């Protein structure tokens, strides 16, 4: 005697991949390799990941850190699942890298003297941060160690829509993540801060790009 189940195999629809890990806020595309057609997609956690189908592609968008399961069905009710993990920076140690010879500070102001003053200040601050260490731990622990290693400040972090927020040592900092991998690029918009510092300088933009290299392998 044999028995059969009314449930279909959750790998009935062939996909290019069934597991995705992204920095929260990033997007990815999964190709549908099956030929049945009339596909739908649903998520069990809209706060973490959502998806739409365009032709034979599933366009996945993440938002905040966490996990979500996407279920793809076809007109025959066959289905497959995609596990989406939206994370922050790679867990472990990072070190600040000073990109000598790379333009990483942008200042726009009607006052050229003030522009140069701001650039000099930002370069000086960057030099003081060279080799400073950052440690990200699961799920949201964070610590910062100064350039000379004399002080360590503990705090927390979170990532949503590619915005990294750090809270440590009484400071709250916000960065846009514009590059990942083993060399992470962070963009900080300092326009509002310097507009307050120099209200008559007609400042329209102050942006700094910081680079961290992954040191814990």
């Amino acid at each position: 005697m044999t028995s059969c189940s009314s449930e279909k195999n959750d790998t009935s629809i062939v996909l290019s991949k069934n597991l995705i890990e992204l920095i929260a806020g990033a997007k990815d595309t999964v190709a549908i390799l099956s030929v049945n057609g009339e596909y739908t997609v649903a998520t069990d956690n809209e706060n973490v990941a959502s998806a739409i189908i365009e032709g034979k592609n599933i366009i996945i968008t993440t938002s905040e850190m966490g996990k979500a399961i996407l279920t793809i069905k076809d007109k025959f009710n066959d289905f497959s699942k995609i596990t989406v993990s939206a994370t922050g920076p790679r867990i472990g140690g990072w070190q600040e890298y000073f990109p000598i010879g790379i333009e990483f500070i942008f200042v726009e102001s009607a006052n050229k003297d003030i522009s140069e003053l701001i650039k000099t200040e930002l370069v000086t601050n960057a030099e003081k941060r060279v080799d400073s260490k950052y440690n990200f731990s699961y799920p949201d622990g964070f610590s910062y160690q100064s350039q000379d290693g004399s002080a360590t400040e503990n705090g927390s972090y979170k990532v949503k829509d590619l915005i990294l927020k750090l809270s440590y040592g009484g400071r709250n900092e916000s960065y846009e993540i514009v590059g990942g991998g083993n060399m992470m690029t962070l963009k900080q918009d300092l326009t509002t801060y310097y507009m307050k510092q120099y209200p008559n300088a007609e400042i329209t933009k102050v942006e700094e790009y910081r680079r961290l290299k992954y040191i814990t392998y």
Side-chain angles (χ1 to χ4, degrees):
M1 180 180 293
T2 61
S3 64
C4 62
S5 171
S6 61
E7 290 190 9
K8 304 248 184 176
N9 191 331
D10 68 356
T11 58
S12 296
I13 299 174
V14 181
L15 305 173
S16 60
K17 50 189 171 183
N18 294 85
L19 181 63
I20 292 175
E21 183 173 319
L22 298 170
I23 292 179
K27 295 184 177 183
D28 200 359
T29 299
V30 174
I32 301 173
L33 305 179
S34 297
V35 296
N36 292 343
E38 297 182 25
Y39 297 100
T40 62
V41 60
T43 178
D44 71 345
N45 193 338
E46 290 186 354
N47 291 328
V48 172
S50 60
I52 60 173
I53 293 177
E54 294 184 354
K56 296 295 292 289
N57 291 318
I58 305 166
I59 313 299
I60 300 168
T61 302
T62 59
S63 180
E64 61 186 43
M65 295 168 63
K67 289 188 177 181
I69 302 295
L70 304 179
T71 302
I72 297 85
K73 290 186 176 181
D74 64 14
K75 61 184 178 182
F76 301 110
N77 213 34
D78 289 334
F79 69 94
S80 287
K81 294 183 179 182
I82 301 172
T83 300
V84 180
S85 179
T87 70
R90 289 181 62 183
I91 299 301
W94 294 77
Q95 192 170 47
E96 183 130 6
Y97 166 71
F98 186 66
I100 298 173
I102 299 175
E103 289 296 328
F104 70 107
I105 293 173
F106 299 88
V107 180
E108 293 181 1
S109 169
N111 189 316
K112 292 185 178 180
D113 291 337
I114 293 297
S115 293
E116 291 304 313
L117 182 64
I118 292 173
K119 287 182 181 179
T120 299
E121 180 179 330
L122 291 177
V123 168
T124 299
N125 290 339
E127 290 173 340
K128 292 178 180 178
R129 293 194 308 265
V130 174
D131 295 333
S132 295
K133 293 181 176 61
Y134 304 73
N135 189 76
F136 296 89
S137 58
Y138 182 84
D140 56 6
F142 172 76
S143 66
Y144 171 81
Q145 187 178 62
S146 60
Q147 183 185 54
D148 61 6
S150 62
T152 299
E153 297 174 322
N154 297 314
S156 62
Y157 76 96
K158 65 179 180 178
V159 179
K160 183 174 182 180
D161 296 327
L162 286 176
I163 301 298
L164 168 65
K165 293 188 176 181
L166 304 178
S167 177
Y168 65 102
R171 289 175 288 180
N172 294 294
E173 300 173 351
S174 180
Y175 301 90
E176 179 184 352
I177 302 173
V178 295
N182 287 337
M183 184 69 79
M184 180 168 58
T185 303
L186 304 176
K187 172 186 172 183
Q188 187 174 31
D189 189 338
L190 298 167
T191 307
T192 300
Y193 172 80
Y194 280 103
M195 286 176 66
K196 292 179 180 179
Q197 293 292 105
Y198 304 101
N200 299 318
E202 297 182 37
I203 294 171
T204 56
K205 181 169 76 172
V206 180
E207 294 176 349
E208 179 183 25
Y209 288 79
R210 297 170 64 171
R211 304 184 75 193
L212 308 182
K213 56 184 177 181
Y214 192 65
I215 58 175
T216 304
Y217 298 91

